[in-house]
Amino acid sequence: LALTTFKVFGSTFLTFADNMKPSIRSTAIMNLPVTYIFTHDSIRIGADGVTHQPIEQLAMLRTIPNLDVYRPCDYKELIGAWQLILKNKKPSALVIAKQPTESYKYTSIEETALGGYVISEVKSRLDVILIASGAEVTLAIQLKHELLKSFIEARIVSMPNINEFLKQSAEYQNQVLPKGYKRMVIEFSNDPTMYKLVKSDDDIINITKLLTEYEIDIPSIVIKIKNNI
């Protein structure tokens, strides 16, 4: 279908992207404008157990050359990602949540094209930068409010397309993620791409092994952030 004039897309759970890798990779090699839409993007909604909980799939998708991977956090970023997909006419993956997500005042259709940008700024001083994608942006905002109770101010950076962000100028990257300030990434995957934004394992809150329970509740994450600032 993609070799004709049809605009082609398909959709399934993110965890099943593994089954589709040969076709996704062929699409990327042939530079066909196919869009793969993946839902149920987090282990937090894996009611069917670990077989339906995506862990390594984001890493797999992001490392396929010539595949644009978008993980929007709300409807504005979703619109921004979809506009880019239609404009660029490239092989793309759109990774979205199953659960309802909030929309935030400073998320942006236009800035989604930059791959990553600030959506919540500090009031007086910058203590830590929290970087998140997709459904974890909502968690980052919740953590910001909790940290304020301890007089810790956090900038929130949404990262709907990390590979696109890393293509931006050094000046822009430094504007969003200034040097000399603590950074922490929140993403419930094991994607090593995120390590390009931080210095050590202690700076990333992710999923590195298959378990039935994780310390991913807000109090546990707040403690980890405090211990690393």
Side-chain angles (χ1 to χ4, degrees):
L1 288 174
L3 290 169
T4 67
T5 58
F6 285 99
K7 291 182 174 63
V8 182
F9 68 89
S11 180
T12 186
F13 286 26
L14 176 58
T15 193
F16 300 137
D18 289 333
N19 301 337
M20 301 172 64
K21 184 175 180 180
S23 60
I24 297 172
R25 194 167 182 272
S26 294
T27 297
I29 290 171
M30 297 173 71
N31 197 35
L32 298 176
V34 178
T35 303
Y36 298 92
I37 302 172
F38 296 108
T39 65
H40 298 67
D41 69 338
S42 173
I43 69 163
R44 302 181 87 187
I45 46 81
D48 294 318
V50 294
T51 58
H52 286 61
Q53 295 176 352
I55 302 292
E56 70 276 14
Q57 284 75 13
L58 276 172
M60 181 270 287
L61 292 171
R62 286 173 177 156
T63 53
I64 295 177
N66 199 42
L67 180 72
D68 287 339
V69 181
Y70 301 92
R71 192 175 182 228
C73 75
D74 68 357
Y75 82 92
K76 285 181 282 184
E77 289 192 355
L78 177 60
I79 292 171
W82 190 248
Q83 287 182 348
L84 289 168
I85 288 170
L86 294 179
K87 176 184 176 182
N88 295 335
K89 299 179 180 179
K90 283 190 59 183
S92 304
L94 186 59
V95 181
I96 56 179
K98 169 188 180 283
Q99 71 271 35
T101 56
E102 296 185 41
S103 180
Y104 298 101
K105 183 177 181 180
Y106 295 109
T107 51
S108 168
I109 293 174
E110 294 76 21
E111 289 185 281
T112 298
L114 298 171
Y117 63 103
V118 179
I119 65 166
S120 182
E121 191 54 284
V122 297
K123 292 183 178 179
S124 57
R125 70 176 190 275
L126 180 56
D127 296 315
V128 62
I129 303 171
L130 300 181
I131 307 162
S133 72
E136 279 81 80
V137 171
T138 295
L139 176 59
I141 294 291
Q142 294 171 339
L143 290 168
K144 178 185 177 81
H145 296 317
E146 289 298 314
L147 290 169
L148 274 175
K149 296 176 183 178
S150 300
F151 305 102
I152 297 172
E153 294 201 44
R155 168 186 287 186
I156 307 299
V157 172
S158 178
M159 195 67 62
N161 187 331
I162 182 173
N163 288 328
E164 192 60 39
F165 176 76
L166 294 172
K167 293 177 185 177
Q168 303 302 316
S169 67
E171 181 182 2
Y172 177 74
Q173 292 185 43
N174 290 333
Q175 178 185 335
V176 176
L177 304 175
K179 296 178 180 178
Y181 293 93
K182 185 68 175 181
R183 307 174 188 174
M184 296 195 73
V185 168
I186 304 167
E187 184 178 83
F188 295 153
S189 74
N190 69 348
D191 185 4
T193 310
M194 286 298 181
Y195 284 89
K196 295 181 180 181
L197 305 178
V198 295
K199 293 181 179 180
S200 71
D201 288 345
D202 293 332
D203 298 332
I204 189 163
I205 298 167
N206 62 354
I207 303 298
T208 55
K209 51 189 174 181
L210 291 170
L211 295 174
T212 56
E213 294 182 4
Y214 301 87
E215 291 183 346
I216 57 176
D217 56 289
I218 289 178
S220 296
I221 298 176
V222 167
I223 291 172
K224 181 168 183 177
I225 293 173
K226 286 181 177 180
N227 289 340
N228 284 283
I229 292 180

